[in-house]
Amino acid sequence: MGDKNSEETRISRRDFVKGAIVGVAGIASAGVLTGCGEKTPTSSPSIIEETVTEVPKPIFEVHEADVLIIGGGIGGDNAALEATKLGANVMLVDKGPYGFSGGASCLHWGTIVTGADSPDVEFKYSVWGSYGLINQKHLRTAVDNSTDILQRFLENGTADYLRLPDGNLFMFPSPGGKMAFGYFPRYDAGQTRWDGVQVFEKTMITDLLVQDGRCIGAVGINIPTGTFHVFKAKSTISATGPYPWFWGWITVNSYTPNAPDNTGDLDAIAYRHGIELQDLEFWDYSLGSLKPDGLAMSISGGISAFSLMAGNICDKNGDYFMQDIPLNEMTRPRFSYEIAKRIAEGKGGPNGGVYLDLSKEGSVRLLTPEIMRNVAPLKDKFGMDVMKEPVEIGLRILEMVGHPVADENRESAIAGLFFAVPAGRATYPTATSDGVWAATGGLIAARKAVERAKGLADTPINLDLVNAEFERVHSVLSKQVENPLRPHVVRHHIQEACYKALGLYKTAKDYEAGLFALKKIRDEELPRMCVQNKTQNFNVEWKEALENYNILDMGELSIRASLFREESRGPFQRTDFPKQDNENWLCNVGLKIGSDGNPTVEKKEIVWTEISPDDIKQLLTTGFQA
Amino acid sequence: MNIKLLRYDPTIDNAPHFETYVVPWKENITVLEILMYIYENNDSLAFDFGCRGRACGRCSVMLDGQPVVACYTPIHEDRDLTIEPLKGFPVIRDVIVDKNKARDKIRLIEVRQPIKPIGVEDVMAQKDPVVSSKLDMLKWCAKCLCCVAACPVVNSNDTPSSFAGPAAMVAIAYRYYDPNDYGDRVVQAVSEGIFDCVMCGICTQVCPAAIDHLPIFEELRGEAKKLVA
């Protein structure tokens, strides 16, 4: 007995397997995987013959707790610690090895910690730094909950922050805040387990369970064993980080320092369940060394460049093109787009980057410890003397702003479903920087999640939903086609298309070409995607195939958001609309799945509470003063 | 390059077996790039990685009999090599091993034993720079477990050892120097076998994070001897 409501709010599983989630026209697949061998006729000119292999009978483990947390990084850990402190039973699921996955946990580069000590100054700085688009309700909660963050992060488990040679804390001035370095979230991981959080690692969530408009948990597979799991909870918090893995491919990674885990699974799943995504056109870029290929874009392994190094960066002609820009104007977005502009003018190096010159006197002082530790190994192991020879550096996605929409309690439009980092962070430099935003968001989400869970009546699981998802996940594994494409092949085509379409200084033509290419992949390649090895035992390919649906959706939605915003603002720069247009575009852009499966895009009013749009326009004109 | 790779899927294969793959060499090709090449061009093998910078420890393997992190290990010439799963751990599939025995122990060791909440004055207070520099080194332990794979005491067939291995000792040391930890980490070092360590320094030789183990182990032993005396 199916649940009609949940079927209405999401595209049916048949369409999903065929890859017709976004963009329904042109379905090429001829098969329907129900295990019965039925075939539906198709009117498409290219018919793909599909052999139906029987999917096993659904069998799964069920786990239950008050609060389910998806993602075990800074956001998830802080949510878990808070929820247990408030007396809830907590399950935490992570796709990778817990403590060693995703962004900060994986990078282990020592997260920057900014605590607000003048909350109102922090607030204003963040509104300015976000080019006016930040959700001020979220911002107030983040700022107010970060005043004690310096102590709180250490209390989680990191032994100490970075200190000066005399033993005093190394602090960086930040308007309205204190900035310290060296929070290593992996040292929280023992504490969560000790506090009784049930951790399920190396487990990929493939769908949420939504019944009668309420999220009652999630389902997914354990990657080492292939076992299907049902996680039943009264409240679910998603904290899965950014999703840059659609942006190009070098040899072992996309143009990002982030981890292969960061494929946007929960953002795409949320979208398919009807939740609005917002701000997908905004990214935070940073710069990383391009060579050798195997270390390209890596923060922990390569050389990174930050805005303080602007005076050490030259183009292919040896022109130090940023040295006259005053440091207080050198924000992270400005640093990125000045470099992108230079490259777009044809003054970049052979690998598409500019050059970091550390041979100047005193350059070594610019190197933070996580970069400094790479100088000797890069020379000894890889033959690169970065203190003498210019290092070619290119743009990479550091963080992403776009996420599902949620209120200031981090609760989404689906009851019981929370996002530690919803849309509304807007771009850096918000004073409450990346990791702090995730941590405070996790905290706030946990408080509401626990409150919601208390006294909530039990909702029995609709097993039809579980069985249907089991079948979908297993059909991805067992599917055979005559002319198969392995998942990485499809993935690299998606990545190539997104790399051409997205980034700084693109135009409508680039976006439209990207949408065209992705549609072709969706219609012609996704139905041919097959896993070569059918083992259920740590099947990386199976995981990649499942992730590909999410990568494709997030790439396409990012392009649609970019196409829609007809202006340039901060790190979003397009050459066909080069000016910032506060009259028409001081707004957010939202995407929602339509009843036909295609996304609808719309302008959304910014959420402001303390600084009005008129005051924002003034602030953006005059600049920030503390 | 001819790459001999030990393949094994316990759910399908009766025993591990070597397969050979031909991979084109290029300057500074990493072992991770080699695995990726085989995965993409030859055979759907099981391997894992994360940071591409010896910080997450996910990609550790045996290269020609030595434990390395695949991502940060370049091959400097067009030659043949052998890749196997990290020694001393149960193999899940191909080069994926189960690190839980070691990592679970480390995780429990890493739980801080505080006596009071940390206040902002604790954060701002000046600390001993010697201690800070030790923490700055120890914190980079990636839990790759190359040290455990290389340790002759852990891998000894002769007598069962109570030595938990170098990575566990690094975790104990991290909390020993942690200004907010009040647990008796010297006692913990003894119970986890610091005196079973033969102080050979092989752990330091293979450590991708350049941790200098022996002075730390000496210090813990020194403190332990004072306790017993």
Side-chain angles (χ1 to χ4, degrees), chain A residues 98 108 154-155 193 492, chain B residues 40 76 107 112 118 140:
Chain A
Y98 177 49
H108 198 178
L154 284 193
E155 209 147 68
R193 277 228 176 103
H492 293 336
Chain B
E40 293 195 340
H76 291 302
R107 206 160 273 160
R112 181 189 279 133
I118 299 174
W140 287 106

Side-chain angles (χ1 to χ4, degrees), chain A residues 18 26 30 73-74 81 83 115 149 162 267 274 278 288 295 329 361 364 381 387 424 483 511 526 574 599 611:
Chain A
K18 285 186 244 167
I74 298 179
L81 291 169
I149 206 135
L162 208 61
D267 295 76
Q278 185 188 288
L295 308 185
E329 288 177 35
E361 174 76 42
V364 71
K381 291 164 89 92
M387 301 310 294
N483 195 5
Y511 301 136
L526 210 55
R574 51 188 291 187
I611 302 179

Side-chain angles (χ1 to χ4, degrees), chain A residues 559-579:
Chain A
I559 298 175
R560 286 189 186 276
S562 302
L563 178 62
F564 188 78
R565 179 175 288 274
E566 290 181 343
E567 62 137 17
S568 289
R569 181 176 298 262
F572 180 71
Q573 297 286 323
R574 51 188 291 187
T575 42
D576 50 357
F577 293 96
K579 296 227 172 359

Side-chain angles (χ1 to χ4, degrees), chain B residues 60-62 67-68 84-89 95 97 99 144-146 149:
Chain B
S60 35
V61 295
M62 302 303 279
V68 300
E84 296 165 275
L86 195 67
K87 177 178 168 178
F89 296 92
V95 293
V97 298
K99 292 176 175 168
C144 68
L145 308 181
C146 285

Side-chain angles (χ1 to χ4, degrees), chain B residues 63-124:
Chain B
L63 171 70
D64 298 329
Q66 292 300 310
V68 300
V69 285
C71 66
Y72 219 56
T73 305
I75 306 297
H76 291 302
E77 53 191 345
D78 193 345
R79 64 178 181 85
D80 297 345
L81 38 100
T82 302
I83 301 174
E84 296 165 275
L86 195 67
K87 177 178 168 178
F89 296 92
V91 177
I92 293 175
R93 188 176 152 223
D94 298 334
V95 293
I96 302 290
V97 298
D98 186 346
K99 292 176 175 168
N100 284 338
K101 180 181 72 174
R103 281 193 170 178
D104 282 351
K105 166 157 271 187
I106 288 166
R107 206 160 273 160
L108 288 171
I109 288 169
E110 282 176 351
V111 178
R112 181 189 279 133
Q113 294 177 38
I115 56 170
K116 59 177 177 65
I118 299 174
V120 68
E121 60 290 333
D122 297 309
V123 181
M124 302 304 284

Side-chain angles (χ1 to χ4, degrees), chain B residues 15-197:
Chain B
H17 51 100
F18 277 106
E19 300 291 336
T20 303
Y21 305 96
V22 178
V23 175
W25 177 83
K26 67 177 183 193
E27 197 187 339
N28 279 331
I29 190 169
T30 63
V31 174
L32 178 60
E33 286 182 292
I34 290 170
L35 290 170
M36 183 65 80
Y37 183 93
I38 296 169
Y39 173 87
E40 293 195 340
N41 294 285
N42 297 84
D43 223 351
S44 165
L45 50 98
F47 70 113
D48 192 34
F49 67 102
C51 70
R52 294 95 60 203
R54 69 181 185 329
C56 73
R58 285 164 78 165
C59 64
S60 35
V61 295
M62 302 303 279
L63 171 70
D64 298 329
Q66 292 300 310
V68 300
V69 285
C71 66
Y72 219 56
T73 305
I75 306 297
H76 291 302
E77 53 191 345
D78 193 345
R79 64 178 181 85
D80 297 345
L81 38 100
T82 302
I83 301 174
E84 296 165 275
L86 195 67
K87 177 178 168 178
F89 296 92
V91 177
I92 293 175
R93 188 176 152 223
D94 298 334
V95 293
I96 302 290
V97 298
D98 186 346
K99 292 176 175 168
N100 284 338
K101 180 181 72 174
R103 281 193 170 178
D104 282 351
K105 166 157 271 187
I106 288 166
R107 206 160 273 160
L108 288 171
I109 288 169
E110 282 176 351
V111 178
R112 181 189 279 133
Q113 294 177 38
I115 56 170
K116 59 177 177 65
I118 299 174
V120 68
E121 60 290 333
D122 297 309
V123 181
M124 302 304 284
Q126 198 174 13
K127 302 283 189 296
D128 180 352
V130 171
V131 170
S132 293
S133 72
K134 288 179 183 161
L135 282 172
D136 283 345
M137 177 185 73
L138 293 167
K139 72 188 183 191
W140 287 106
C141 174
K143 321 297 187 266
C144 68
L145 308 181
C146 285
C147 58
V148 176
C151 175
V153 177
V154 169
N155 291 294
S156 164
N157 288 322
D158 301 330
T159 47
S161 167
S162 64
F163 184 44
M169 281 305 146
V170 166
I172 291 171
Y174 183 74
R175 286 297 176 220
Y176 172 70
Y177 294 114
D178 177 351
N180 299 298
D181 181 85
Y182 292 83
D184 197 329
R185 302 298 181 162
V186 174
V187 166
Q188 189 172 45
V190 174
S191 66
E192 294 303 329
I194 190 80
F195 287 108
D196 290 331
C197 166

